[in-house]
Amino acid sequence: MPVVYQSPKDKTYEPPPRLAPQTSVMSSYVVQPSRVYFATQAPGERILLFLRKHPITQLPWIIGALVLISAPLLILPALSSIDLFPLDLPLAYSLILIVFWYLMTFSYIFVNFILWYYNINIVTNMRIVDIDFLYLLVQEVTATRIGQVEDITYQRTGLFAALFDYGDVVVQTAGEQVNIEFLATPRPKDTVRIIIDLMGKV
Amino acid sequence: MNFQLFTDGTATVIMIVKIFIIITLISYAVFAFILYQQMIVKHRTVETPRGPFLITVALVHLFVSLVLLLVSFILL
């Protein structure tokens, strides 16, 4: 009997030698990460690329955090010296307000960090998955099979993108399916090359 | 604007500030709890080796916000 369909489980993809496996999952470009799994991962599905936005794109909120940290140290003495603001609150009130300020600053840093940490693009040997946490409560997961990818392009715009080698990768899929975008991902050229290699094998 | 009235710190003003701080801290504690819950959801979506540590950080953050609320009830 002729073989109509062959399971893709025997298909394996080995990245080029220069894209050796890495262990750090704090990085924004990890090849074949160890001990990383995602919710809809199928049996036999192996993560080949694990991507986040380039760390340099997080600079605005890091600067914002530094301003928030230093604000009470700079502004409070200045205000008290010009006697413009009612700072003669009881000591307990001032202490609680200052502690609360730093707690809010911490949550600002923490929320921004986890939004970066959990906004992930994954390329497996079967699929391309885009996991987005747009805000704290909004989660969006998009996935497409490698076989349904029609076209893939990358775009690197701006001085920072050229200096730090990051850009947007757009994966166009067949039919009505939503396109997948990897925004500000490091080494977009290598990412595109790996996906094209995978498309050739499927 | 006459700030002298404010700096005099009448009991009414202090009471308004106290209520404002308490309500804000209660809201913040709710936010900290949602943040902790969201960390668990995120970790279920993508499991990484650093995930449990981040959940612990969110839990400590929730604990600190509750302690601050408790302290503000006692001190203010």
Side-chain angles (χ1 to χ4, degrees):
Chain A
M1 188 160 179
V3 177
V4 178
Y5 173 75
Q6 187 176 5
S7 171
K9 66 185 174 187
D10 56 338
K11 290 177 181 170
T12 55
Y13 173 78
E14 293 302 327
R18 70 193 186 89
L19 300 177
Q22 297 167 359
T23 53
S24 170
V25 290
M26 290 296 281
S27 171
S28 56
Y29 188 97
V30 188
V31 180
Q32 299 190 63
S34 58
R35 294 186 297 149
V36 174
Y37 310 96
F38 60 98
T40 57
Q41 191 167 354
E45 189 170 16
R46 202 156 50 90
I47 298 174
L48 301 175
L49 271 181
F50 187 82
L51 309 170
R52 296 187 181 96
K53 283 187 177 179
H54 195 288
I56 200 73
T57 60
Q58 307 303 300
L59 205 56
W61 72 258
I62 293 170
I63 292 169
L66 291 174
V67 170
L68 288 173
I69 290 168
S70 55
L73 304 173
L74 300 174
I75 292 172
L76 288 181
L79 284 177
S80 62
S81 67
I82 59 175
D83 201 21
L84 188 65
F85 199 74
L87 290 174
D88 56 346
L89 280 173
L91 182 65
Y93 284 72
S94 302
L95 276 175
I96 284 171
L97 284 173
I98 289 171
V99 171
F100 181 59
W101 176 275
Y102 281 109
L103 202 59
M104 281 207 308
T105 303
F106 170 78
S107 71
Y108 173 76
I109 294 168
F110 189 60
V111 167
N112 276 293
F113 174 77
I114 61 172
L115 285 177
W116 170 77
Y117 188 80
Y118 282 106
N119 271 301
I120 292 164
N121 307 117
I122 295 171
V123 179
T124 74
N125 55 338
M126 298 178 187
R127 291 185 296 167
I128 297 170
V129 184
D130 182 18
I131 300 168
D132 286 330
F133 290 94
L134 303 176
Y135 306 102
L136 197 59
L137 298 171
V138 181
Q139 179 183 357
E140 186 181 284
V141 180
T142 316
T144 187
R145 292 199 163 274
I146 297 286
Q148 289 178 320
V149 175
E150 285 203 330
D151 194 14
I152 179 163
T153 54
Y154 77 93
Q155 191 177 25
R156 206 163 31 200
T157 47
L159 178 67
F160 269 50
L163 277 175
F164 294 99
D165 189 18
Y166 69 86
D168 301 339
V169 175
V170 180
V171 179
Q172 293 177 12
T173 55
E176 297 291 316
Q177 290 208 358
V178 181
N179 292 341
I180 292 179
E181 290 182 341
F182 298 179
L183 298 176
T185 182
R187 295 159 68 177
K189 192 177 172 183
D190 289 336
T191 305
V192 167
R193 196 160 53 84
I194 287 174
I195 295 173
I196 287 172
D197 283 354
L198 280 169
M199 287 163 68
K201 289 178 185 295
V202 173
Chain B
M1 187 174 178
N2 188 1
F3 284 103
Q4 193 59 42
L5 286 174
F6 221 99
T7 49
D8 284 346
T10 60
T12 313
V13 172
I14 292 290
M15 182 56 71
I16 290 169
V17 172
K18 180 179 176 178
I19 291 168
F20 177 75
I21 289 173
I22 298 283
I23 290 172
T24 307
L25 287 176
I26 289 170
S27 308
Y28 190 81
V30 172
F31 162 75
F33 179 72
I34 292 169
L35 183 61
Y36 169 65
Q37 288 292 322
Q38 282 302 307
M39 282 306 302
I40 293 171
V41 170
K42 283 171 171 58
H43 183 61
R44 280 184 193 145
T45 307
V46 183
E47 275 185 48
T48 65
R50 298 276 190 280
F53 171 72
L54 293 173
I55 290 172
T56 308
V57 170
L59 190 61
V60 169
H61 174 246
L62 172 61
F63 179 72
V64 171
S65 68
L66 289 173
V67 167
L68 187 62
L69 179 61
L70 188 68
V71 168
S72 68
F73 268 121
I74 295 167
L75 287 184
L76 300 185

